[in-house]
mmCIF file of all heavy atoms in Angstrom:
data_model
loop_
_atom_site.group_PDB
_atom_site.id
_atom_site.type_symbol
_atom_site.label_atom_id
_atom_site.label_comp_id
_atom_site.label_asym_id
_atom_site.label_seq_id
_atom_site.Cartn_x
_atom_site.Cartn_y
_atom_site.Cartn_z
ATOM 1 N N LEU S 298 -26.153 18.584 14.381
ATOM 2 C CA LEU S 298 -25.611 18.558 15.705
ATOM 3 C C LEU S 298 -24.059 18.742 15.645
ATOM 4 O O LEU S 298 -23.524 19.653 16.265
ATOM 5 C CB LEU S 298 -25.801 17.242 16.325
ATOM 6 C CG LEU S 298 -27.173 16.981 17.083
ATOM 7 C CD1 LEU S 298 -27.136 15.561 17.583
ATOM 8 C CD2 LEU S 298 -27.331 18.020 18.137
ATOM 9 N N GLU S 299 -23.386 17.935 14.925
ATOM 10 C CA GLU S 299 -21.897 17.990 14.835
ATOM 11 C C GLU S 299 -21.344 17.109 13.830
ATOM 12 O O GLU S 299 -22.038 16.247 13.247
ATOM 13 C CB GLU S 299 -21.226 17.672 16.259
ATOM 14 C CG GLU S 299 -21.567 16.184 16.682
ATOM 15 C CD GLU S 299 -21.103 15.893 18.106
ATOM 16 O OE1 GLU S 299 -20.616 16.850 18.679
ATOM 17 O OE2 GLU S 299 -21.367 14.781 18.555
ATOM 18 N N VAL S 300 -20.020 17.331 13.446
ATOM 19 C CA VAL S 300 -19.346 16.409 12.636
ATOM 20 C C VAL S 300 -18.307 15.727 13.478
ATOM 21 O O VAL S 300 -17.463 16.409 14.082
ATOM 22 C CB VAL S 300 -18.701 17.078 11.399
ATOM 23 C CG1 VAL S 300 -17.810 16.178 10.698
ATOM 24 C CG2 VAL S 300 -19.772 17.770 10.560
ATOM 25 N N ASN S 301 -18.320 14.357 13.434
ATOM 26 C CA ASN S 301 -17.267 13.672 14.170
ATOM 27 C C ASN S 301 -16.219 13.212 13.092
ATOM 28 O O ASN S 301 -16.421 12.517 12.172
ATOM 29 C CB ASN S 301 -17.808 12.319 14.809
ATOM 30 C CG ASN S 301 -18.677 12.699 16.032
ATOM 31 O OD1 ASN S 301 -18.337 13.367 16.862
ATOM 32 N ND2 ASN S 301 -19.936 12.126 15.981
ATOM 33 N N THR S 302 -15.058 13.821 13.329
ATOM 34 C CA THR S 302 -13.931 13.647 12.252
ATOM 35 C C THR S 302 -13.179 12.421 12.537
ATOM 36 O O THR S 302 -11.894 12.502 12.710
ATOM 37 C CB THR S 302 -13.008 14.929 12.358
ATOM 38 O OG1 THR S 302 -12.630 15.149 13.693
ATOM 39 C CG2 THR S 302 -13.817 16.138 11.883
ATOM 40 N N ARG S 303 -13.821 11.284 12.557
ATOM 41 C CA ARG S 303 -13.121 10.055 12.936
ATOM 42 C C ARG S 303 -14.056 8.895 12.550
ATOM 43 O O ARG S 303 -15.191 9.113 12.196
ATOM 44 C CB ARG S 303 -12.841 9.958 14.456
ATOM 45 C CG ARG S 303 -14.030 10.268 15.293
ATOM 46 C CD ARG S 303 -13.846 10.027 16.824
ATOM 47 N NE ARG S 303 -14.849 10.537 17.633
ATOM 48 C CZ ARG S 303 -16.004 9.920 17.853
ATOM 49 N NH1 ARG S 303 -16.312 8.760 17.282
ATOM 50 N NH2 ARG S 303 -16.913 10.457 18.599
ATOM 51 N N LEU S 304 -13.568 7.698 12.794
ATOM 52 C CA LEU S 304 -14.360 6.479 12.646
ATOM 53 C C LEU S 304 -15.293 6.423 13.969
ATOM 54 O O LEU S 304 -14.883 6.782 14.983
ATOM 55 C CB LEU S 304 -13.557 5.261 12.677
ATOM 56 C CG LEU S 304 -14.154 3.940 12.225
ATOM 57 C CD1 LEU S 304 -14.511 3.974 10.723
ATOM 58 C CD2 LEU S 304 -13.130 2.810 12.378
ATOM 59 N N GLN S 305 -16.574 6.024 13.767
ATOM 60 C CA GLN S 305 -17.453 5.991 15.003
ATOM 61 C C GLN S 305 -17.452 4.519 15.603
ATOM 62 O O GLN S 305 -17.170 3.636 14.959
ATOM 63 C CB GLN S 305 -18.870 6.288 14.469
ATOM 64 C CG GLN S 305 -19.149 7.698 14.080
ATOM 65 C CD GLN S 305 -19.293 8.651 15.206
ATOM 66 O OE1 GLN S 305 -18.387 9.186 15.715
ATOM 67 N NE2 GLN S 305 -20.648 8.927 15.547
ATOM 68 N N VAL S 306 -17.767 4.629 16.867
ATOM 69 C CA VAL S 306 -17.940 3.355 17.517
ATOM 70 C C VAL S 306 -18.910 2.400 16.825
ATOM 71 O O VAL S 306 -18.713 1.207 16.742
ATOM 72 C CB VAL S 306 -18.464 3.572 18.988
ATOM 73 C CG1 VAL S 306 -18.728 2.215 19.777
ATOM 74 C CG2 VAL S 306 -17.482 4.424 19.810
ATOM 75 N N GLU S 307 -19.946 2.974 16.281
ATOM 76 C CA GLU S 307 -21.042 2.230 15.699
ATOM 77 C C GLU S 307 -20.804 1.889 14.178
ATOM 78 O O GLU S 307 -21.727 1.445 13.523
ATOM 79 C CB GLU S 307 -22.340 2.847 15.885
ATOM 80 C CG GLU S 307 -22.487 4.298 15.341
ATOM 81 C CD GLU S 307 -22.021 5.350 16.332
ATOM 82 O OE1 GLU S 307 -21.287 4.969 17.264
ATOM 83 O OE2 GLU S 307 -22.357 6.539 16.102
ATOM 84 N N HIS S 308 -19.682 2.109 13.743
ATOM 85 C CA HIS S 308 -19.305 1.776 12.229
ATOM 86 C C HIS S 308 -19.688 0.425 11.751
ATOM 87 O O HIS S 308 -20.005 0.227 10.643
ATOM 88 C CB HIS S 308 -17.945 2.239 11.884
ATOM 89 C CG HIS S 308 -16.849 1.196 12.318
ATOM 90 N ND1 HIS S 308 -16.295 1.280 13.625
ATOM 91 C CD2 HIS S 308 -16.325 0.135 11.665
ATOM 92 C CE1 HIS S 308 -15.444 0.233 13.764
ATOM 93 N NE2 HIS S 308 -15.465 -0.440 12.587
ATOM 94 N N PRO S 309 -19.535 -0.590 12.666
ATOM 95 C CA PRO S 309 -19.863 -1.933 12.207
ATOM 96 C C PRO S 309 -21.310 -2.131 11.610
ATOM 97 O O PRO S 309 -21.403 -3.010 10.671
ATOM 98 C CB PRO S 309 -19.723 -2.813 13.476
ATOM 99 C CG PRO S 309 -18.739 -2.079 14.305
ATOM 100 C CD PRO S 309 -19.076 -0.705 14.079
ATOM 101 N N VAL S 310 -22.251 -1.382 12.023
ATOM 102 C CA VAL S 310 -23.649 -1.569 11.478
ATOM 103 C C VAL S 310 -23.604 -1.175 9.998
ATOM 104 O O VAL S 310 -24.293 -1.744 9.175
ATOM 105 C CB VAL S 310 -24.718 -0.914 12.249
ATOM 106 C CG1 VAL S 310 -24.839 -1.533 13.658
ATOM 107 C CG2 VAL S 310 -24.496 0.586 12.354
ATOM 108 N N THR S 311 -22.876 -0.105 9.699
ATOM 109 C CA THR S 311 -22.826 0.316 8.242
ATOM 110 C C THR S 311 -22.056 -0.720 7.453
ATOM 111 O O THR S 311 -22.364 -0.975 6.315
ATOM 112 C CB THR S 311 -22.114 1.689 8.258
ATOM 113 O OG1 THR S 311 -22.849 2.678 8.873
ATOM 114 C CG2 THR S 311 -21.815 2.081 6.791
ATOM 115 N N GLU S 312 -20.962 -1.369 8.142
ATOM 116 C CA GLU S 312 -20.226 -2.307 7.429
ATOM 117 C C GLU S 312 -21.028 -3.478 7.070
ATOM 118 O O GLU S 312 -20.928 -4.070 5.979
ATOM 119 C CB GLU S 312 -19.034 -2.721 8.318
ATOM 120 C CG GLU S 312 -17.952 -1.660 8.407
ATOM 121 C CD GLU S 312 -16.739 -2.108 9.178
ATOM 122 O OE1 GLU S 312 -16.862 -2.826 10.119
ATOM 123 O OE2 GLU S 312 -15.622 -1.617 8.749
ATOM 124 N N LEU S 313 -21.890 -3.907 8.049
ATOM 125 C CA LEU S 313 -22.707 -5.204 7.792
ATOM 126 C C LEU S 313 -23.796 -4.919 6.722
ATOM 127 O O LEU S 313 -24.123 -5.922 5.978
ATOM 128 C CB LEU S 313 -23.360 -5.673 9.126
ATOM 129 C CG LEU S 313 -22.332 -6.230 10.136
ATOM 130 C CD1 LEU S 313 -23.116 -6.777 11.328
ATOM 131 C CD2 LEU S 313 -21.482 -7.218 9.534
ATOM 132 N N VAL S 314 -24.347 -3.734 6.612
ATOM 133 C CA VAL S 314 -25.470 -3.573 5.633
ATOM 134 C C VAL S 314 -24.878 -3.177 4.317
ATOM 135 O O VAL S 314 -25.535 -3.414 3.248
ATOM 136 C CB VAL S 314 -26.451 -2.524 6.079
ATOM 137 C CG1 VAL S 314 -27.182 -2.963 7.287
ATOM 138 C CG2 VAL S 314 -25.781 -1.130 6.242
ATOM 139 N N THR S 315 -23.680 -2.656 4.146
ATOM 140 C CA THR S 315 -22.976 -2.246 2.920
ATOM 141 C C THR S 315 -22.126 -3.305 2.378
ATOM 142 O O THR S 315 -21.717 -3.333 1.206
ATOM 143 C CB THR S 315 -22.282 -0.913 3.011
ATOM 144 O OG1 THR S 315 -21.271 -0.945 3.959
ATOM 145 C CG2 THR S 315 -23.233 0.242 3.459
ATOM 146 N N GLY S 316 -21.522 -4.147 3.272
ATOM 147 C CA GLY S 316 -20.520 -5.113 2.836
ATOM 148 C C GLY S 316 -19.113 -4.426 2.791
ATOM 149 O O GLY S 316 -18.212 -5.106 2.286
ATOM 150 N N LEU S 317 -18.900 -3.300 3.184
ATOM 151 C CA LEU S 317 -17.656 -2.630 3.119
ATOM 152 C C LEU S 317 -16.755 -2.750 4.382
ATOM 153 O O LEU S 317 -17.392 -2.846 5.517
ATOM 154 C CB LEU S 317 -17.834 -1.085 2.840
ATOM 155 C CG LEU S 317 -18.543 -0.790 1.463
ATOM 156 C CD1 LEU S 317 -18.900 0.734 1.472
ATOM 157 C CD2 LEU S 317 -17.616 -1.145 0.312
ATOM 158 N N ASP S 318 -15.491 -2.713 4.345
ATOM 159 C CA ASP S 318 -14.631 -2.590 5.442
ATOM 160 C C ASP S 318 -14.121 -1.147 5.551
ATOM 161 O O ASP S 318 -13.292 -0.674 4.783
ATOM 162 C CB ASP S 318 -13.429 -3.581 5.153
ATOM 163 C CG ASP S 318 -12.419 -3.510 6.426
ATOM 164 O OD1 ASP S 318 -12.402 -2.501 7.135
ATOM 165 O OD2 ASP S 318 -11.736 -4.460 6.601
ATOM 166 N N LEU S 319 -14.762 -0.391 6.502
ATOM 167 C CA LEU S 319 -14.493 1.027 6.545
ATOM 168 C C LEU S 319 -13.066 1.376 6.953
ATOM 169 O O LEU S 319 -12.537 2.404 6.508
ATOM 170 C CB LEU S 319 -15.493 1.767 7.514
ATOM 171 C CG LEU S 319 -16.989 1.650 7.138
ATOM 172 C CD1 LEU S 319 -17.793 2.557 8.001
ATOM 173 C CD2 LEU S 319 -17.183 1.881 5.656
ATOM 174 N N VAL S 320 -12.405 0.540 7.759
ATOM 175 C CA VAL S 320 -11.037 0.737 8.050
ATOM 176 C C VAL S 320 -10.099 0.583 6.847
ATOM 177 O O VAL S 320 -9.260 1.390 6.676
ATOM 178 C CB VAL S 320 -10.534 -0.209 9.244
ATOM 179 C CG1 VAL S 320 -9.066 -0.083 9.455
ATOM 180 C CG2 VAL S 320 -11.336 0.195 10.501
ATOM 181 N N ALA S 321 -10.478 -0.397 5.992
ATOM 182 C CA ALA S 321 -9.716 -0.577 4.798
ATOM 183 C C ALA S 321 -9.873 0.655 3.891
ATOM 184 O O ALA S 321 -8.911 1.048 3.270
ATOM 185 C CB ALA S 321 -10.145 -1.831 4.029
ATOM 186 N N VAL S 322 -11.089 1.208 3.832
ATOM 187 C CA VAL S 322 -11.286 2.438 3.066
ATOM 188 C C VAL S 322 -10.515 3.593 3.590
ATOM 189 O O VAL S 322 -9.936 4.438 2.965
ATOM 190 C CB VAL S 322 -12.792 2.766 2.931
ATOM 191 C CG1 VAL S 322 -13.021 4.005 2.020
ATOM 192 C CG2 VAL S 322 -13.544 1.555 2.344
ATOM 193 N N GLN S 323 -10.493 3.687 4.963
ATOM 194 C CA GLN S 323 -9.688 4.742 5.567
ATOM 195 C C GLN S 323 -8.243 4.651 5.077
ATOM 196 O O GLN S 323 -7.610 5.701 4.786
ATOM 197 C CB GLN S 323 -9.800 4.551 7.041
ATOM 198 C CG GLN S 323 -11.000 5.201 7.726
ATOM 199 C CD GLN S 323 -10.858 5.098 9.305
ATOM 200 O OE1 GLN S 323 -10.727 4.044 9.848
ATOM 201 N NE2 GLN S 323 -10.875 6.299 9.866
ATOM 202 N N LEU S 324 -7.766 3.459 5.149
ATOM 203 C CA LEU S 324 -6.254 3.322 4.783
ATOM 204 C C LEU S 324 -6.143 3.569 3.323
ATOM 205 O O LEU S 324 -5.054 4.140 2.856
ATOM 206 C CB LEU S 324 -5.865 1.890 5.192
ATOM 207 C CG LEU S 324 -5.822 1.531 6.600
ATOM 208 C CD1 LEU S 324 -5.582 0.058 6.852
ATOM 209 C CD2 LEU S 324 -4.795 2.378 7.377
ATOM 210 N N GLU S 325 -7.029 3.243 2.477
ATOM 211 C CA GLU S 325 -6.916 3.594 0.986
ATOM 212 C C GLU S 325 -6.863 5.027 0.877
ATOM 213 O O GLU S 325 -6.006 5.628 0.119
ATOM 214 C CB GLU S 325 -8.163 3.016 0.248
ATOM 215 C CG GLU S 325 -8.189 1.502 0.152
ATOM 216 C CD GLU S 325 -7.234 1.079 -1.004
ATOM 217 O OE1 GLU S 325 -7.276 1.674 -2.092
ATOM 218 O OE2 GLU S 325 -6.444 0.175 -0.750
ATOM 219 N N VAL S 326 -7.819 5.753 1.568
ATOM 220 C CA VAL S 326 -7.784 7.235 1.426
ATOM 221 C C VAL S 326 -6.563 7.858 2.005
ATOM 222 O O VAL S 326 -5.941 8.787 1.386
ATOM 223 C CB VAL S 326 -9.087 7.832 2.019
ATOM 224 C CG1 VAL S 326 -9.028 9.305 2.178
ATOM 225 C CG2 VAL S 326 -10.309 7.350 1.219
ATOM 226 N N ALA S 327 -6.075 7.409 3.098
ATOM 227 C CA ALA S 327 -4.866 7.898 3.740
ATOM 228 C C ALA S 327 -3.631 7.704 2.851
ATOM 229 O O ALA S 327 -2.696 8.477 2.823
ATOM 230 C CB ALA S 327 -4.675 7.284 5.136
ATOM 231 N N ALA S 328 -3.714 6.636 1.927
ATOM 232 C CA ALA S 328 -2.731 6.373 1.099
ATOM 233 C C ALA S 328 -2.689 7.252 -0.080
ATOM 234 O O ALA S 328 -1.803 7.160 -0.975
ATOM 235 C CB ALA S 328 -2.811 4.909 0.569
ATOM 236 N N GLY S 329 -3.653 8.172 -0.255
ATOM 237 C CA GLY S 329 -3.736 8.994 -1.380
ATOM 238 C C GLY S 329 -4.545 8.559 -2.517
ATOM 239 O O GLY S 329 -4.590 9.226 -3.603
ATOM 240 N N ARG S 330 -5.193 7.407 -2.420
ATOM 241 C CA ARG S 330 -5.905 6.846 -3.471
ATOM 242 C C ARG S 330 -7.322 7.437 -3.446
ATOM 243 O O ARG S 330 -7.838 7.841 -2.419
ATOM 244 C CB ARG S 330 -6.016 5.393 -3.390
ATOM 245 C CG ARG S 330 -4.698 4.607 -3.588
ATOM 246 C CD ARG S 330 -4.920 3.108 -3.744
ATOM 247 N NE ARG S 330 -3.699 2.394 -3.945
ATOM 248 C CZ ARG S 330 -3.003 1.748 -2.941
ATOM 249 N NH1 ARG S 330 -3.468 1.769 -1.784
ATOM 250 N NH2 ARG S 330 -1.859 1.148 -3.303
ATOM 251 N N PRO S 331 -7.976 7.505 -4.655
ATOM 252 C CA PRO S 331 -9.396 7.899 -4.616
ATOM 253 C C PRO S 331 -10.240 6.838 -3.973
ATOM 254 O O PRO S 331 -9.850 5.699 -3.804
ATOM 255 C CB PRO S 331 -9.648 8.054 -6.141
ATOM 256 C CG PRO S 331 -8.677 7.185 -6.797
ATOM 257 C CD PRO S 331 -7.488 7.107 -5.949
ATOM 258 N N LEU S 332 -11.447 7.240 -3.695
ATOM 259 C CA LEU S 332 -12.469 6.321 -3.123
ATOM 260 C C LEU S 332 -12.666 5.119 -3.975
ATOM 261 O O LEU S 332 -12.848 5.351 -5.276
ATOM 262 C CB LEU S 332 -13.775 7.001 -2.826
ATOM 263 C CG LEU S 332 -13.732 7.984 -1.645
ATOM 264 C CD1 LEU S 332 -15.031 8.838 -1.685
ATOM 265 C CD2 LEU S 332 -13.623 7.316 -0.274
ATOM 266 N N PRO S 333 -12.587 3.920 -3.553
ATOM 267 C CA PRO S 333 -12.990 2.757 -4.423
ATOM 268 C C PRO S 333 -14.311 2.860 -5.026
ATOM 269 O O PRO S 333 -15.206 3.422 -4.430
ATOM 270 C CB PRO S 333 -12.816 1.536 -3.470
ATOM 271 C CG PRO S 333 -11.956 2.071 -2.300
ATOM 272 C CD PRO S 333 -12.348 3.531 -2.117
#
Side-chain angles (χ1 to χ4, degrees):
L298 274 181
E299 61 188 1
V300 175
N301 290 308
T302 55
R303 54 172 166 80
L304 196 67
Q305 290 280 84
V306 176
E307 56 272 21
H308 76 274
V310 296
T311 296
E312 292 184 323
L313 290 186
V314 297
T315 62
L317 298 170
D318 182 333
L319 298 192
V320 172
V322 180
Q323 281 188 296
L324 294 170
E325 288 282 312
V326 169
R330 294 192 178 97
L332 290 168

